[in-house]
Amino acid sequence: MTGSYPATRLRRTRASVWSRALHRETMLTPADLIWPLFVTEGAGVEEPIGSLPGVSRWSVDLIAHRAKEAVALGIPCLALFPNTPGELRSADGREALNPDNLMCRAIRAIKDACGEQIGVLTDVALDPYTSHGQDGLVDAAGYVLNDETVEVLVGQSLNQAAAGADVIAPSDMMDGRIGAIREALEGAGHVNVQIMSYAAKYASAFYGPFRDAVGSRGLLKGDKKTYQMDPANSDEALREVELDLLEGADSVMVKPGLPYLDIILKVKETFGVPVFAYQVSGEYAMIEAAVAAGAGERDALVLETLTAFKRAGCSGVLTYHAAHAARLLNG
Ligand code: PBG
């Protein structure tokens, strides 16, 4: 206290519940959450995912129930990922272009059930459809071809938009795909279909359980380092974001989430655009493992991590804990 009068005591405003509520700088609400859901074939099917305890794949009919649950919880948007049956996976991922593929059927089921009450965000990348598990077309040496892949991603985006997707979310990290997809959407009259670009997506070790969920882990040969970003880089993330914005992205994503809060903050401060974080499967699994080990308390871990994303500048967060968090926030 030396030399300061009146005494500055930062603990004063923390001393009571009402005062902490009054001084809280960051608010987390269910409206900040995007709930990723995995879709699988069949009817009445729920398949738990071993490496993602508490998360399941749902058949299309049950996906519609999840959508209604999300609406009731105040969650504004769902993110869909298909577990394509093995026999429909091919080197060129052509099932991504099938207007009756799992993804398109799930989009239609949600829109039939909930209409404008919920947004549907769809992943654009070929990994759930390829027999090699890469996000694009590969040459003889296994290199993921950029421009050839972008052509397929454009077709995949148009296919999803025609089925009723509200937000196209390219997660493939090919160069130039945002511009190509935007132009094609405009040309097809989908002027109000948004693009949320996975702009700064890192070649991360945190995606393992997701690859189990979409059935690509066992198929994947090698890694994704020739297209996803080096975790050591941040200037490059800003260039990725800048290009995607110039090409027409409405919002951008940083992925994974918690290990990349510095990137989120930089993107927000540099561009002042809507930024989203993906708290990915490995992050979810880490929290669940901590809970199972008695090392932490789920509700507190979930709310603290999600609040951190908002504090760093996020408009919202994709999280597998979305429904649980919304329940907690709704009291
Ligand atoms: C693939 C894709 C991945 C995730 C979302 N889209 C995995 C990958 O790039 O291998 C990861 C999400 C998660 O781990 O929760 N295009």
Side-chain angles (χ1 to χ4, degrees), residues 81 123 125 127 135 171 198 201 206-207 210-211 224 228 255 278 280-281 320:
F81 301 93
D123 193 71
D127 52 316
D135 290 27
S171 70
Y198 287 68
K201 174 171 178 179
F206 285 96
Y207 304 150
F210 172 94
R211 292 178 189 167
K224 301 191 179 184
Q228 299 179 351
K255 175 182 172 190
Y278 199 145
V280 299
S281 57
Y320 301 97

Side-chain angles (χ1 to χ4, degrees), residues 13-328:
T13 56
R14 297 176 202 146
S16 57
V17 174
W18 68 263
S19 181
R20 289 195 294 276
L22 190 63
H23 290 86
R24 193 157 296 134
E25 296 175 34
T26 304
M27 288 304 169
L28 178 70
T29 77
D32 298 316
L33 305 174
I34 299 176
W35 190 11
L37 293 171
F38 298 105
V39 195
T40 198
E41 277 297 344
V45 176
E46 174 181 1
E47 293 169 355
I49 300 155
S51 55
L52 274 179
V55 178
S56 296
R57 303 182 196 96
W58 305 92
S59 53
V60 169
D61 54 330
L62 296 186
I63 280 283
H65 293 176
R66 299 283 74 71
K68 285 185 184 159
E69 186 183 347
V71 169
L73 288 168
I75 294 172
C77 190
L78 301 175
L80 299 181
F81 301 93
N83 177 32
T84 307
E87 65 274 16
L88 295 177
R89 297 186 194 222
S90 58
D92 60 5
R94 77 183 83 91
E95 177 64 7
L97 305 176
N98 174 3
D100 281 316
N101 67 20
L102 258 183
M103 177 70 105
C104 292
R105 279 181 278 138
I107 297 167
R108 287 194 292 265
I110 294 168
K111 285 288 145 185
D112 284 349
C114 301
E116 290 297 301
Q117 290 179 293
I118 198 151
V120 177
L121 177 151
T122 52
D123 193 71
V124 166
L126 297 183
D127 52 316
Y129 310 91
T130 53
S131 44
H132 45 69
Q134 292 289 357
D135 290 27
L137 306 177
V138 296
D139 69 12
Y143 184 76
V144 175
L145 298 163
N146 194 87
D147 299 9
E148 293 81 350
T149 297
V150 170
E151 273 182 45
V152 186
L153 299 176
V154 167
Q156 182 183 20
S157 302
L158 290 172
N159 190 31
Q160 294 173 351
D166 298 296
V167 187
I168 300 294
S171 70
D172 53 281
M173 290 297 281
M174 297 302 117
D175 287 320
R177 89 281 205 217
I178 300 301
I181 291 170
R182 185 71 266 165
E183 197 180 317
L185 289 173
E186 296 289 313
H190 298 299
V191 295
N192 282 331
V193 171
Q194 301 178 28
I195 298 179
M196 181 188 291
S197 159
Y198 287 68
K201 174 171 178 179
Y202 288 86
S204 170
F206 285 96
Y207 304 150
F210 172 94
R211 292 178 189 167
D212 290 335
V214 299
S216 68
R217 189 183 231 172
L219 302 173
L220 184 63
K221 291 173 198 74
D223 55 42
K224 301 191 179 184
K225 291 180 183 173
T226 70
Y227 46 108
Q228 299 179 351
M229 281 184 55
D230 183 340
N233 295 356
S234 75
D235 290 343
E236 190 184 346
L238 298 182
R239 294 189 70 198
E240 284 284 2
V241 168
E242 182 176 27
L243 281 175
D244 286 359
L245 291 171
L246 287 171
E247 290 176 32
D250 299 285
S251 55
V252 294
M253 195 198 297
V254 173
K255 175 182 172 190
L258 227 45
Y260 297 85
L261 285 184
D262 57 325
I263 308 299
I264 292 167
L265 180 65
K266 278 191 189 173
V267 169
K268 189 65 190 178
E269 289 187 338
T270 306
F271 299 102
V273 297
V275 184
F276 291 82
Y278 199 145
Q279 185 175 42
V280 299
S281 57
E283 297 178 74
Y284 173 95
M286 268 174 38
I287 291 177
E288 290 302 312
V291 172
E297 200 248 308
R298 179 183 291 110
D299 297 357
L301 290 168
V302 167
L303 294 181
E304 181 177 335
T305 56
L306 295 176
T307 301
F309 290 115
K310 293 274 337 250
R311 194 194 61 235
C314 281
S315 297
V317 189
L318 290 90
T319 174
Y320 301 97
H321 278 120
H324 182 67
R327 267 180 227 110
L328 294 174

